[in-house]
């Protein structure tokens, strides 16, 4: 599983999450292809808040967009945290991402 701090500090101009170039110079899709070629699954981390626990971009308000991005990269699993939220209960926020996935 790719844990927190995998993304650049800001989304791109279209609001998409961007993998850190220094950490993933070939992108996450290339990593997923490599991992899948070994017969393994690949997971990634996101958060149900505006920011992750380490102050990286979170998925709140971007659930469908982020789910589509993860799918386009070939991600198999999502670890979804609960930091830096808008105060709404997770029972309201988590289903949004569940449904998007």
């Amino acid at each position: 599983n790719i844990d927190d701090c995998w993304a650049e500090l800001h989304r791109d101009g279209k609001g998409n999450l961007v993998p850190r170039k220094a950490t993933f110079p070939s992108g996450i899709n290339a990593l997923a292809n490599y991992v899948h070629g070994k017969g393994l699954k690949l997971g990634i981390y996101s958060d149900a808040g505006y920011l992750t626990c380490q102050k990286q971009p979170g998925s709140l308000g971007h659930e469908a967009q982020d789910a589509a991005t993860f799918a386009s990269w070939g991600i198999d699993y999502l670890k979804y945290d609960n930091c830096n939220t808008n105060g709404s209960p997770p029972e309201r926020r988590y289903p949004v991402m569940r449904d998007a996935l």
Side-chain angles (χ1 to χ4, degrees):
N1 192 60
I2 302 170
D3 214 341
D4 203 351
C5 299
W6 60 264
E8 295 287 355
L9 293 177
H10 302 284
R11 291 171 176 270
D12 70 14
K14 296 180 181 178
N16 295 306
L17 291 168
V18 179
R20 285 189 186 205
K21 294 260 186 232
T23 308
F24 303 100
S26 299
I28 292 183
N29 185 256
L31 175 62
N33 289 337
Y34 174 80
V35 170
H36 292 150
K38 300 292 183 188
L40 301 171
K41 303 284 185 181
L42 182 64
I44 201 162
Y45 171 97
S46 193
D47 196 286
Y50 295 112
L51 299 171
T52 70
C53 297
Q54 296 299 315
K55 309 290 190 236
Q56 311 297 307
S59 289
L60 186 60
H62 295 271
E63 292 88 352
Q65 184 175 19
D66 292 353
T69 297
F70 300 148
S72 76
W73 290 341
I75 297 296
D76 302 296
Y77 298 102
L78 177 65
K79 175 183 173 184
Y80 207 45
D81 220 331
N82 190 37
C83 295
N84 299 298
T85 68
N86 61 1
S88 66
E91 294 83 7
R92 270 195 251 161
R93 287 178 284 107
Y94 274 62
V96 179
M97 180 57 88
R98 177 201 63 209
D99 295 345
L101 294 170

